[in-house]
Amino acid sequence: MTGIEILGYSACAVTALTFLPQVIKTWKEKSAKNVSLMMFIIAFINEVMWIAYGVFRDDMVIIVTNVIMIIMCSVMISLKMKYKNV
Amino acid sequence: MTGIEILGYSACAVTALTFLPQVIKTWKEKSAKNVSLMMFIIAFINEVMWIAYGVFRDDMVIIVTNVIMIIMCSVMISLKMKYKNV
């Protein structure tokens, strides 16, 4: 594995974790008033496109990264709907 | 340009816009209490890694996408620091 590949895989691993702190924060605080729903809707559309791209390119790293992100994104959309005005 | 390339470029364009709704919302509401700072710090580290990856791979689409994201991410970190408890 080359250095560039290691950098790419590491970037994917960090990307997959991006939404986790927001999910944990919203879960704990039971409030998401200042969180943008549109950000997570765009992210959701985005993940769908990346998963399709990963499938066409047969790239498991892209698929796995974006499946993790779409799960977190879906959790965050549900939390935002639940705690929207709290 | 193949269909897969068009999908990849479109995914990058949508990705670049992800943080924009949150920046606009926080800017308007002048409040970011429920927004996770850690999410944007992880995203920032993430963008730095992607920009480095794009430079090594000489991939302008990855570079441009992540430069846009790192700018929005920096704006969001500043807004969060400013409106942290409001």
Side-chain angles (χ1 to χ4, degrees):
Chain A
M1 197 187 283
T2 66
I4 298 175
E5 280 175 327
I6 294 170
L7 180 62
Y9 290 137
S10 309
C12 280
V14 179
T15 304
L17 293 176
T18 311
F19 295 148
L20 187 62
Q22 184 65 61
V23 168
I24 294 171
K25 188 175 169 72
T26 307
W27 185 270
K28 276 190 189 166
E29 292 181 355
K30 306 205 180 316
S31 173
K33 202 178 167 188
N34 312 125
V35 178
S36 166
L37 177 63
M38 190 52 72
M39 171 169 70
F40 288 97
I41 290 171
I42 292 178
F44 189 93
I45 295 166
N46 187 15
E47 308 317 338
V48 171
M49 291 168 88
W50 279 115
I51 291 168
Y53 183 74
V55 169
F56 282 124
R57 288 284 301 265
D58 201 17
D59 187 327
M60 271 313 282
V61 176
I62 291 182
I63 297 171
V64 172
T65 302
N66 287 285
V67 165
I68 296 171
M69 288 196 83
I70 209 168
I71 293 168
M72 287 201 204
C73 200
S74 307
V75 172
M76 202 47 227
I77 290 171
S78 318
L79 288 173
K80 172 68 186 174
M81 300 305 271
K82 195 172 172 190
Y83 302 127
K84 144 159 132 177
N85 296 314
V86 195
Chain B
M1 198 186 283
T2 66
I4 298 175
E5 280 175 327
I6 293 169
L7 180 63
Y9 290 137
S10 311
C12 279
V14 179
T15 304
L17 294 176
T18 312
F19 295 148
L20 186 62
Q22 183 65 63
V23 169
I24 294 170
K25 188 176 169 72
T26 307
W27 186 271
K28 276 191 189 163
E29 292 182 355
K30 305 206 182 313
S31 171
K33 202 179 166 188
N34 313 124
V35 177
S36 167
L37 176 63
M38 190 52 72
M39 173 169 66
F40 289 97
I41 290 172
I42 292 178
F44 189 94
I45 295 166
N46 187 14
E47 309 317 339
V48 172
M49 290 169 89
W50 280 115
I51 291 168
Y53 182 75
V55 169
F56 282 125
R57 288 283 301 265
D58 202 15
D59 187 327
M60 272 313 283
V61 177
I62 292 182
I63 297 171
V64 172
T65 303
N66 288 284
V67 165
I68 296 170
M69 290 198 81
I70 209 167
I71 292 168
M72 288 202 202
C73 200
S74 306
V75 173
M76 202 48 225
I77 289 171
S78 318
L79 288 173
K80 172 66 186 176
M81 300 306 271
K82 195 172 170 189
Y83 303 127
K84 144 157 125 177
N85 297 313
V86 196

